[in-house]
Amino acid sequence: MIWNEEYETMPREDLAALQLRRLQAQVERVYAVVPYYRAKMEAAGVEPGEIKTLADIKRLPFTTKEDLRKNYPFGLFTVPLERVVRIHASSGTTGQPTVVGYTRRDIGIWAELMARTLSAAGVGRGDVVQNAYGYGLFTGGLGAHYGAEKIGAAVIPISGGNTKRQITLMRDFGSTVLLSTPSYALNIADTMADMGVDPKSLKLRVGVFGAEPWSENMRDEIERKLHIKAIDIYGLSEIIGPGVAAECIEEQKGLHLMEDHFLPEIVDPDTFEPLPPGEDGELVFTTITKEAFPVIRYRTKDISRLIAEPCTCGRTFFRMPKVTGRTDDMLIIRGVNVFPSQVEHVLMSIDGVEPHYQIEVNREGSLDTMRILVEVSEAIFSDEIKQLEGVSRKIENEIKGMLGVTCRVKLVEPKTIQRSEGKAQRVIDNRNI
Amino acid sequence: MKVEQIAVFLENRSGRLADISQTLADHDINIRALSLADTADFGILRLVVDDPARARRILKENGFTVAVAEVVAVEVVDRPGGLGAVLQVIKQAGLNVEYMYAVITHGKDKALLIFRFDELDRAINALLKADIRILSADEVYSV
């Protein structure tokens, strides 16, 4: 099912012409309205009028998360607040969240993109969509919600958590579609088994999963355990939220990039030179229709590549394979972005805690677990167990409070965490995604 | 009246206890009493030794994490009810035992009990009032 034939199956030449027009308008607008962008473009020696072809995009400076942080909270908005109807924010990577805003038109486009995404997964009117993405500042819940309503499906805005209730409602309301993170889908499957609910007795048909990296093995597991088709979607709040790219149910092979709204590039993560389709590199996006919060050449740090070969589903948009790697040290744990520096920040804020730590990430059953090894110091060591357990619990609570992720702290002896000459190995990721 | 006890952090790893006792042995330090408290993640080895100051320094020099705490060593008759009599005094004084361990045979028909209290001085007073014998630090170190 193609939601918007006109755009989704547009001939590539027409698409390129549309993209160029939109890109030129966007670049002109941010140059005129946002002093920060103007200064960056002036420093790079480029003016809006010099963007004459799509290839000229490489003359424009990149935007990074650092740029967004420097302009916290609304410095990169290109419309006055009176025109902003929604504000979302990331969890905050170093204490400073990334804030994104939407005009009414932006919300409309976002709903359109999620409508395309859900249609590509074969979801439509008459479906009962159980939306288990988190509602709130996180873009997942509301982004998916608006798209599901747009296609005329009945939405259950249940948000994440409360797994037994999810399953009860799934059974009682006859949910046909599940929207969640892939790891939560597996959690639901395991809980179903515990509750003695046979997925084959449910009407659940398809799941649309995103917000964290997952493997083909995990897809097989979800499809087998929940007896559904598992569709991958991609998005990030800096670009719009979910709905930046989506798989079609026909192929389930690569995610179609919504190229009429976002210009994708793959760049060499070392030289930042653009790479041709087929080559792996860092995914970079320029939003060409966003009003409130456009970004120019935003570096996602996600590793992927562009697939130019046409898809049998009829969509002409390029595809990208599942994102499974990062160019930085960011971890995604149960849908939450975690940087080791954040963990370090929390540890350093606790008196007497040593700066020597290591983060261990495992997948236990279907859930990601984070364990932090922390070296004890004399300052926190005591002859009483309850004191030491108090220190562990305090760190666990602070991490949960600051990052929103549950972790377990294990105290270890001093000097047992490996020291390295250069960059410390802070993370041991055993998940094999 | 107060005895210095040293506590050593022990990761649950094979050989760590052996490393500590070897380090102490290499420096001729004699262990008078010990207990090992363990959790799923780590253990705490509590030691009363003949020279706590030196033991502490040596263990630290060898990379162990050490804490010093004051404990009370109580001598009781080694027969049924010996421990009970002491605990009764503590209970009546409304005090709480953080932890304790015992050296069952200590001299002739005597047992040695090591107590860690939150309110150390009050505990000592209560024990003294009840005519319970508390060993001096020197007595314990040279047991």
Side-chain angles (χ1 to χ4, degrees), chain A residues 219-236:
Chain A
R219 189 206 306 264
D220 293 344
E221 203 181 338
I222 293 173
E223 294 197 330
R224 186 167 41 80
K225 284 187 169 170
L226 279 176
H227 206 65
I228 58 172
K229 281 269 186 198
I231 303 296
D232 192 13
I233 65 169
Y234 174 81
L236 61 169

Side-chain angles (χ1 to χ4, degrees), chain B residues 29-48:
Chain B
I29 289 168
N30 201 359
I31 299 170
R32 319 298 344 175
L34 94 157
S35 98
L36 180 59
D38 67 318
T39 71
D41 286 341
F42 60 83
I44 299 175
L45 177 67
R46 296 156 183 154
L47 296 164
V48 175

Side-chain angles (χ1 to χ4, degrees), chain A residues 260-408:
Chain A
D260 51 338
H261 295 281
F262 315 111
L263 265 187
E265 293 174 81
I266 296 289
V267 301
D268 183 313
D270 298 318
T271 64
F272 304 118
E273 281 301 311
L275 295 171
E279 285 190 36
D280 278 330
E282 181 175 335
L283 197 47
V284 169
F285 285 106
T286 300
T287 65
I288 50 178
T289 54
K290 278 257 290 295
E291 285 185 334
F293 183 76
V295 286
I296 304 295
R297 302 193 84 197
Y298 183 73
R299 286 182 50 198
T300 64
K301 308 280 180 97
D302 285 329
I303 306 246
S304 192
R305 65 176 183 274
L306 298 178
I307 303 170
E309 288 76 40
C311 183
T312 56
C313 72
R315 288 175 184 82
T316 48
F317 294 155
F318 281 178
R319 286 171 289 164
M320 57 181 258
K322 271 177 178 305
V323 168
T324 49
R326 297 275 305 172
T327 60
D328 62 10
D329 56 0
M330 187 179 87
L331 291 162
I332 302 182
I333 297 168
R334 299 193 215 175
V336 180
N337 298 350
V338 174
F339 284 91
S341 59
Q342 288 174 286
V343 171
E344 185 167 316
H345 184 75
V346 172
L347 293 176
M348 291 303 90
S349 70
I350 298 173
D351 268 352
V353 172
E354 291 281 317
H356 302 293
Y357 67 94
Q358 197 159 51
I359 300 168
E360 258 181 37
V361 188
N362 286 292
R363 185 157 276 159
E364 288 170 17
S366 58
L367 272 188
D368 293 340
T369 60
M370 176 163 80
R371 188 163 82 147
I372 304 174
L373 308 183
V374 180
E375 289 188 1
V376 289
S377 65
E378 272 204 11
I380 59 167
F381 179 56
S382 155
D383 58 315
E384 291 180 42
I385 287 171
K386 67 177 178 193
Q387 301 279 355
L388 284 178
E389 289 186 335
V391 171
S392 302
R393 212 168 312 123
K394 186 173 168 140
I395 299 172
E396 287 165 6
N397 290 341
E398 296 271 322
I399 298 268
K400 172 82 186 162
M402 294 277 291
L403 314 188
V405 180
T406 310
C407 72
R408 230 176 66 67

Side-chain angles (χ1 to χ4, degrees), chain B residues 80-94:
Chain B
L83 170 62
V86 177
L87 293 177
Q88 202 59 36
V89 172
I90 298 302
K91 180 183 162 188
Q92 266 154 23

Side-chain angles (χ1 to χ4, degrees), chain A residues 64-280:
Chain A
T64 63
K65 213 174 192 69
E66 189 54 35
D67 293 315
L68 308 193
R69 265 188 230 130
K70 275 189 203 152
N71 288 280
Y72 175 88
F74 306 142
L76 294 181
F77 283 19
T78 52
V79 298
L81 265 186
E82 297 94 84
R83 290 198 53 214
V84 172
V85 298
R86 180 95 64 76
I87 297 168
H88 280 284
S90 71
S91 59
T93 48
T94 52
Q96 192 91 292
T98 306
V99 184
V100 298
Y102 303 78
T103 62
R104 198 171 297 283
R105 183 166 172 269
D106 291 335
I107 295 282
I109 288 173
W110 193 10
E112 149 86 16
L113 299 178
M114 275 309 294
R116 292 183 188 177
T117 296
L118 292 170
S119 298
V123 180
R125 185 180 290 267
D127 269 310
V128 177
V129 174
Q130 183 153 336
N131 187 11
Y133 283 113
Y135 280 70
L137 277 179
F138 169 59
T139 49
L142 283 167
H145 181 104
Y146 275 59
E149 279 190 351
K150 193 175 173 81
I151 59 172
V155 191
I156 309 169
I158 190 165
S159 198
N162 221 335
T163 312
K164 283 187 178 157
R165 186 146 180 259
Q166 297 265 4
I167 294 162
T168 305
L169 293 195
M170 200 175 273
R171 189 189 57 204
D172 296 351
F173 294 0
S175 306
T176 54
V177 182
L178 173 65
L179 311 183
S180 74
T181 60
S183 58
Y184 191 57
L186 278 178
N187 191 3
I188 289 176
D190 292 345
T191 308
M192 243 181 227
D194 291 345
M195 288 168 72
V197 173
D198 179 3
K200 287 181 192 153
S201 71
L202 302 172
K203 290 189 176 158
L204 205 61
R205 192 184 81 238
V206 63
V208 181
F209 306 115
E212 66 185 13
W214 53 311
S215 60
E216 284 302 323
N217 287 342
M218 201 163 162
R219 189 206 306 264
D220 293 344
E221 203 181 338
I222 293 173
E223 294 197 330
R224 186 167 41 80
K225 284 187 169 170
L226 279 176
H227 206 65
I228 58 172
K229 281 269 186 198
I231 303 296
D232 192 13
I233 65 169
Y234 174 81
L236 61 169
S237 65
E238 293 88 338
I239 305 306
I240 201 160
V244 175
E247 272 182 351
C248 56
I249 199 162
E250 293 91 337
E251 287 284 335
Q252 284 182 284
K253 217 167 182 183
L255 297 87
H256 292 274
L257 289 150
M258 308 295 179
E259 285 186 272
D260 51 338
H261 295 281
F262 315 111
L263 265 187
E265 293 174 81
I266 296 289
V267 301
D268 183 313
D270 298 318
T271 64
F272 304 118
E273 281 301 311
L275 295 171
E279 285 190 36
D280 278 330

